[in-house]
């Protein structure tokens, strides 16, 4: 006699059960951090620029061939390395203003964010090279002013021009901080670009 019981409905196996689709990963934009770092870069380059531009001191010094001391002025425009340093800081300061405004625009309208991140990565590396090279050149000349070089016959000038040398040291230290900020900005741009490409 045939069974009248209804057959059990087929129970799906684990392989047949499809999990609900996962929501797409939420994109994290770091443009607020980018704007903060660029504002810090502006403050650092402007401060280093002002400190370096105001580095000036006049002292009575011995000049070879003159039997008495004469007033001799020390200022940044007397050294090509310091002029390059001021020019590099000026370019970096202007660059920080332009890119800060661009980042604020990308926060408001993020349509072109990916292409801007690529440009930021390129330009940040270029600015880093300019600022780091200028800081190294100025630091080398400042070190000779501080320590002298007995082999080349260059005397120490910082014992005489102490205020001038303090300005130099402060400006170079702030420019080193600006270089670190540019490294962080480059890393942030590359990381943000990488996370967008992986999506």
């Amino acid at each position: 006699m045939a069974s009248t019981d209804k057959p059990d409905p087929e129970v799906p196996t684990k392989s047949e059960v499809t999990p609900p689709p996962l929501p797409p990963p939420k994109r994290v934009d770091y443009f607020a951090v980018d704007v903060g770092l660029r504002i810090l870069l502006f403050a650092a380059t402007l401060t280093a620029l002002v400190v370096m531009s105001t580095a000036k001191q006049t002292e009575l010094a011995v000049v070879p061939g003159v039997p008495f001391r004469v007033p001799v002025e020390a200022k940044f425009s007397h050294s090509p390395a310091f002029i390059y340093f001021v020019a590099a800081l000026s370019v970096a300061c202007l660059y920080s203003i332009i890119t800060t405004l661009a980042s604020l625009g990308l926060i408001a309208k993020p349509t072109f964010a990916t292409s801007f991140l690529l440009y930021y990565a390129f330009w940040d590396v270029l600015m880093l090279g300019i600022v780091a090279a200028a800081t190294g050149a100025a630091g080398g000349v400042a070190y000779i002013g501080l320590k002298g070089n007995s082999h080349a016959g260059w005397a120490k000038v910082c014992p005489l021009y102490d205020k001038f040398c303090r300005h130099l040291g402060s400006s170079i230290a702030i420019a080193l901080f600006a270089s670190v900020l540019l490294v962080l900005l480059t890393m942030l741009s590359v990381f943000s670009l990488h996370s967008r490409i992986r999506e």
Side-chain angles (χ1 to χ4, degrees), residues 122-193:
F122 289 148
W123 285 102
D124 288 346
V125 168
L126 179 65
M127 281 299 121
L128 172 61
I130 291 171
V131 172
T135 304
V141 174
Y143 183 79
I144 290 172
L146 179 66
K147 298 290 186 179
N149 188 325
S150 58
H151 302 290
W154 296 334
K156 301 175 186 179
V157 296
C158 284
L160 181 62
Y161 296 102
D162 55 342
K163 178 186 169 190
F164 177 74
C165 287
R166 281 197 302 272
H167 274 250
L168 289 181
S170 301
S171 184
I172 290 168
I174 297 168
L176 281 173
F177 175 67
S179 297
V180 171
L181 289 174
L182 282 164
V183 169
L184 294 175
L185 281 166
T186 302
M187 292 170 65
L188 183 66
S189 297
V190 171
F191 177 75
S192 299
L193 190 61

Side-chain angles (χ1 to χ4, degrees), residues 76-151:
F76 82 91
S77 59
H78 292 163
S79 168
F82 296 153
I83 293 171
Y84 171 49
F85 184 57
V86 168
L89 288 174
S90 301
V91 169
C93 189
L94 178 63
Y95 170 76
S96 67
I97 294 170
I98 293 169
T99 54
T100 299
L101 295 175
S103 290
L104 287 171
L106 289 174
I107 289 174
K109 191 174 182 182
T111 308
F112 305 106
T114 304
S115 59
F116 265 84
L117 286 171
L118 182 62
Y119 297 139
Y120 278 173
F122 289 148
W123 285 102
D124 288 346
V125 168
L126 179 65
M127 281 299 121
L128 172 61
I130 291 171
V131 172
T135 304
V141 174
Y143 183 79
I144 290 172
L146 179 66
K147 298 290 186 179
N149 188 325
S150 58
H151 302 290

Side-chain angles (χ1 to χ4, degrees), residues 7-32:
D8 292 337
E10 292 185 7
V11 178
T13 62
K14 287 185 179 178
S15 61
E16 294 174 354
V17 175
T18 56
L22 295 173
K26 185 179 178 184
R27 176 183 288 172
V28 178
D29 283 329
Y30 297 99
F31 283 109

